[in-house]
Amino acid sequence: MSFPYAPVLAAAEPASVAQASGTADLTWLLLAFPIAGAAVLLLGGRRTDRFGHLLGTLASAASFVVALVLWLDMAGRDVEERATIQKLWTAIDVGRFHVDIALQLDQLSMAFVLLITGVGTLIHIYSIGYMAHDPDRRRFFAYLNLFVAAMLLLVLGSDYFVVYIGWEGVGLASYLLIGFWGRNPAYATAAKKAFVANRVGDVGMSLAIILMFTTFGATDFVRVHAAAAGAGEGTLTAIGLLLLLAACGKSAQLPLQSWLGDAMAGPTPVSALIHAATMVTAGVYLIVRSGPIFDLAPTAQLVVAIVGAATLVFGAVIGLAKDDIKKALAASTMSQIGYMVLAAGLGPAGYAVAIFHLLTHGFFKAGLFLGAGSVMHAMNDTTDMRRFGGLRTAMPVTFVTFGLGYLAIIGFPLLSGFWSKDKIIETAFHEGGVEGWTLGVVALLGAGITAFYMTRVMVMTFFGPRRWAEDAHPHEAPAVMTAPMVLLALGSVFLGGILAYGGMLQDWLEPVVGGHGEEEGVTTLSPIVVTLLTLLVVAGGAAAAYLQYGRREVPVVAPVGSPATIAARNDLYQDAFNEAVLMRPGQYLTRSLVYADNRGVDGAVNGLAALIGGTSGRLRRLQTGFVRSYALSMLGGAALVVGALLLVRI
Amino acid sequence: MGVQNYLYLSAILFTIGAAGVLLRRNAIVVFMCVELMLNATNLAFVTFARIHGNLDGQIIAFFVMVVAAAEVVVGLAIIVTIFRTRRSTSVDDANLLKY
């Protein structure tokens, strides 16, 4: 059967990626463990309540072990032979449209797989303690496993179509987990908000896939990226912008950022795993993975960088005013992902840097969230930082791990964030021209604001006088919770240095994302100057925050504040904006459509029926039942017929 | 005296019959007027047969007579039945079959 469609460009035959063999055959196991875990826990129901949390953690840990084995195997092979594809089965085979469910394990996916399974396992372990008193703990672990499986499918799919399945899967898991305590209507609303905002992005993704198919006749990475050079720039820009829309939805970038703050309604481990370390970075993955498309569409690439820069400032400003510790961290996440998207928008020079910051951020932000969860756990689920203070003596382990995460995120020298964030600022300046200077200055400014709001969080939570509620008796969390925090803190301290040592991560990723681009850039500021400037700005931000919140009394009830503070507290009116610009017009549109349907379409149909009914009702009156009137009409009719015949004759 | 005078007579008889059907209420009289109309047409048919010099009109006239005889049988039976149930032969009283 022939397919009546001819693609504009003939897709190149895939050649550059080897079929999986040997140890790489085990790639499917990565997915199998968490899927099996989720299936057993969801289908097993209450019968699995007793050991559900252990099974879920075990599934995630098994996946991590497989990931480690695959990583060692991959590292042992030659650079050209590292990337493998394992075809599982054919999903769609209609005419020219052919989609395989296949797993592509290359250097980029490997980095993600290790992050997802590694941090994921730590957070599973932490959740055993954090969710210990929740009657629905088994369901929680089932959803976590479901999330891990979907996220792995997202980063392992060798085809945009397969990525889309994972993309939707993580959206579902995120929805289920944000609304985990959906008995509270506000939490259920937050889950729905996240889902709807994500849907907007998903539409962009599906349109991008459709456009790829009509342009290239294929949707897998190898063919699409090979054929990209032959497509028009307009088409590539359209695909790039649609992919950016998808990334904005998933990664909470402007203009689809509003859901992330509310997503903190979910249990804290969820915020750490999904809304800080992994899922929200899927947008960055998508952009980096689609690098060959963005490289050929400079306009789309510039838009990516601008969106990233705008979001990084937007998130940082919101973070300045939030009193809720989780919402402050959420704003920080938005801002940090803005950094990654900015780096990804800088082209081949930035891809590896974006992934670098993504990995370090995955560790220190997950650590910060787990620390926040530990604090909440100790303070009867209070999240208001104005009711904290002086917790460093009560919770020493949390204080140290949180503090290391804090130092990492503000970019304290030699800690993880220092290496990765500094590299982004440096790369931005390296772009040269008005663009490079603007993006660089914005990134530099963002680093200062980051230092300010993170110092504020740190000082308000752990230092100063105790402003606790009367019934608060803070205590250190159990070992099952502190151990993951310690491990993540170690990652926050050392991971950046290890990955930056000799450009290790960049060399590792080079076959996938391209070279460093050291030689093409314009020299604007030397790296040393950028580093010193960054440190200066960071020190300034931290000092300002210390003077504001460390030296002075922090009021328990938030002061009214300046208009700027009120705006930042209200998320810079993002919800009011969405409501006024999108929701209200949307409602008016649907209402007017309903009106038009009722009055216009239904009106025409009903009116016609009423007209015919009314007319026939009137015509019915002619049937009087009087024989003589019938006779008269017969006579008249006969006379008319005869008259007509005569007229025709003559 | 021309043959067309028969046609004039036929027309006059038909008009009288039609007027009777339309104006009279008594079913028997209406019935008789119908017979008058039929016979007026018979007269016209026969006259035309004479004018054209063939037998077509006469044959049709016989058919009309046969149908009229049958019609009388059925019609009178109906009128008698109506009279038995309604105690009236006025055609305006038998007006139940209406909207």
Side-chain angles (χ1 to χ4, degrees):
Chain A
M1 196 179 95
S2 73
F3 195 59
Y5 166 77
V8 180
L9 298 162
E13 282 304 307
S16 63
V17 183
Q19 282 297 310
S21 59
T23 316
D25 273 341
L26 298 177
T27 311
W28 65 276
L29 270 179
L30 285 172
L31 283 165
F33 282 118
I35 287 177
V40 168
L41 295 184
L42 284 175
L43 299 176
R46 298 254 164 235
R47 269 162 294 183
T48 54
D49 268 356
R50 240 170 355 98
F51 56 89
H53 51 289
L54 298 177
L55 185 71
T57 310
L58 201 65
S60 179
S63 200
F64 178 58
V65 171
V66 174
L68 276 181
V69 170
L70 287 172
W71 176 50
L72 291 175
D73 177 58
M74 179 188 274
R77 271 176 279 151
D78 289 339
V79 175
E80 298 81 38
E81 292 168 7
R82 279 182 181 161
T84 57
I85 286 186
Q86 183 181 28
K87 183 184 159 183
L88 298 181
W89 65 81
T90 299
I92 299 175
D93 189 12
V94 184
R96 285 168 178 278
F97 190 40
H98 186 83
V99 174
D100 283 333
I101 301 289
L103 306 177
Q104 175 172 354
L105 189 66
D106 58 13
Q107 290 89 334
L108 179 61
S109 344
M110 195 72 235
F112 270 90
V113 166
L114 287 172
L115 176 76
I116 296 162
T117 54
V119 175
T121 305
L122 289 178
I123 290 173
H124 272 79
I125 295 170
Y126 176 90
S127 305
I128 294 177
Y130 190 84
M131 300 296 283
H133 306 298
D134 195 297
D136 276 335
R137 180 163 68 164
R138 184 238 348 143
R139 189 162 59 90
F140 180 81
F141 275 85
Y143 292 161
L144 274 191
N145 272 358
L146 182 69
F147 168 77
V148 169
M151 189 71 203
L152 287 172
L153 185 65
L154 197 167
V155 298
L156 284 172
S158 72
D159 190 304
Y160 283 100
F161 185 83
V162 182
V163 172
Y164 190 69
I165 300 173
W167 194 266
E168 293 296 310
V170 291
L172 169 70
S174 161
Y175 167 79
L176 291 172
L177 286 165
I178 296 171
F180 187 72
W181 291 319
R183 288 181 297 276
N184 182 338
Y187 293 0
T189 309
K192 200 191 282 177
K193 185 177 179 184
F195 198 75
V196 170
N198 269 292
R199 291 303 317 167
V200 178
D202 296 346
V203 170
M205 176 100 171
S206 56
L207 288 179
I209 294 175
I210 292 166
L211 198 53
M212 277 175 208
F213 174 62
T214 54
T215 311
F216 307 115
T219 55
D220 58 305
F221 294 149
V222 176
R223 284 171 207 253
V224 168
H225 294 167
E233 194 180 320
T235 316
L236 291 173
T237 307
I239 294 178
L241 290 177
L242 287 168
L243 289 173
L244 174 64
L245 180 68
C248 284
K250 200 60 85 193
S251 293
Q253 300 293 294
L254 285 171
L256 296 176
Q257 81 294 351
S258 64
W259 63 273
L260 188 60
D262 290 343
M264 296 302 123
T268 309
V270 172
S271 311
L273 178 61
I274 302 186
H275 305 120
T278 54
M279 186 191 86
V280 287
T281 57
V284 182
Y285 169 78
L286 188 69
I287 294 173
V288 172
R289 178 58 90 186
S290 310
I293 293 175
F294 281 100
D295 290 342
L296 294 166
T299 318
Q301 204 161 40
L302 181 64
V303 176
V304 171
I306 291 171
V307 165
T311 312
L312 95 82
V313 175
F314 190 92
V317 169
I318 292 176
L320 289 176
K322 286 287 178 190
D323 287 332
D324 180 318
I325 186 168
K326 282 183 74 181
K327 294 211 166 164
L329 290 176
S332 155
T333 302
M334 192 193 291
S335 168
Q336 296 300 313
I337 296 169
Y339 269 107
M340 298 169 209
V341 172
L342 164 63
L346 295 174
Y351 293 147
V353 184
I355 299 301
F356 186 17
H357 193 54
L358 194 157
L359 295 176
T360 56
H361 174 259
F363 273 81
F364 58 67
K365 186 52 68 63
L368 287 170
F369 263 112
L370 293 192
S374 169
V375 170
M376 284 164 59
H377 204 66
M379 300 292 281
N380 300 334
D381 287 333
T382 311
T383 54
D384 186 0
M385 292 190 291
R386 293 185 184 277
R387 307 298 306 199
F388 294 164
L391 282 172
R392 68 181 184 284
T393 45
M395 313 177 67
V397 180
T398 306
F399 166 63
V400 171
T401 54
F402 195 93
L404 289 173
Y406 154 73
L407 291 176
I409 193 174
I410 66 168
F412 193 79
L414 305 183
L415 267 66
S416 285
F418 167 75
W419 301 103
S420 55
K421 193 188 289 178
D422 192 56
K423 200 83 186 150
I424 291 179
I425 300 172
E426 189 188 312
T427 316
F429 274 118
H430 212 66
E431 276 293 290
V434 181
E435 186 193 322
W437 278 102
T438 316
L439 295 176
V441 169
V442 168
L444 196 60
L445 196 72
I449 309 178
T450 307
F452 186 94
Y453 69 72
M454 281 314 297
T455 309
R456 177 175 174 269
V457 169
M458 192 71 198
V459 169
M460 281 173 84
T461 306
F462 291 103
F463 293 92
R466 301 178 168 184
R467 302 180 298 273
W468 308 343
E470 274 155 32
D471 55 346
H473 305 289
H475 51 89
E476 189 55 85
V480 73
M481 284 166 69
T482 50
M485 285 155 59
V486 170
L487 287 173
L488 287 172
L490 287 177
S492 312
V493 175
F494 297 114
L495 185 72
I498 295 170
L499 293 180
Y501 181 73
M504 191 163 95
L505 183 73
Q506 289 186 328
D507 289 341
W508 171 259
L509 289 175
E510 191 175 342
V512 184
V513 302
H516 306 189
E518 299 275 353
E519 60 285 335
E520 347 168 336
V522 189
T523 315
T524 42
L525 293 173
S526 69
I528 297 290
V529 177
V530 172
T531 308
L532 289 177
L533 266 179
T534 311
L535 286 177
L536 204 68
V537 171
V538 166
Y546 178 72
L547 289 180
Q548 173 85 23
Y549 299 98
R551 287 292 184 82
R552 283 188 235 159
E553 184 79 4
V554 178
V556 172
V557 178
V560 178
S562 66
T565 315
I566 296 171
R569 232 175 247 160
N570 288 315
D571 301 316
L572 297 176
Y573 302 117
Q574 59 184 11
D575 292 332
F577 175 84
N578 284 347
E579 200 171 305
V581 176
L582 301 170
M583 192 194 96
R584 299 259 171 241
Q587 280 186 334
Y588 287 133
L589 181 69
T590 51
R591 264 183 226 150
S592 56
L593 284 177
V594 167
Y595 184 81
D597 184 50
N598 283 344
R599 293 301 172 89
V601 179
D602 287 7
V605 175
N606 291 342
L608 186 64
L611 182 71
I612 292 172
T615 314
S616 54
R618 269 176 215 104
L619 283 176
R620 202 175 60 161
R621 298 278 156 187
L622 292 176
Q623 310 288 325
T624 54
F626 290 114
V627 176
R628 297 187 301 142
S629 78
Y630 298 161
L632 180 62
S633 36
M634 279 168 73
L635 184 70
L640 276 178
V641 170
V642 171
L645 284 175
L646 282 177
L647 263 181
V648 174
R649 273 285 171 80
I650 298 163
Chain B
M1 196 173 74
V3 109
Q4 74 271 26
N5 288 329
Y6 291 102
L7 291 179
Y8 293 138
L9 177 63
S10 164
I12 291 165
L13 286 176
F14 188 89
T15 310
I16 293 169
V21 169
L22 293 177
L23 298 176
R24 298 302 297 263
R25 291 193 181 82
N26 190 323
I28 303 288
V29 177
V30 169
F31 210 67
M32 283 158 56
C33 290
V34 170
E35 292 301 313
L36 197 55
M37 287 163 75
L38 288 169
N39 283 311
T41 49
N42 274 352
L43 184 56
F45 276 127
V46 175
T47 309
F48 282 124
R50 177 78 181 179
I51 290 170
H52 293 296
N54 60 22
L55 290 176
D56 291 357
Q58 298 190 23
I59 291 168
I60 300 281
F62 275 113
F63 274 108
V64 172
M65 281 179 203
V66 172
V67 172
E71 178 237 339
V72 166
V73 173
V74 176
L76 278 176
I78 292 172
I79 289 169
V80 168
T81 315
I82 288 176
F83 180 76
R84 277 189 184 160
T85 54
R86 306 180 75 88
R87 291 282 133 200
S88 155
T89 55
S90 168
V91 288
D92 285 0
D93 285 347
N95 66 346
L96 290 180
L97 192 65
K98 61 179 179 184
Y99 51 86

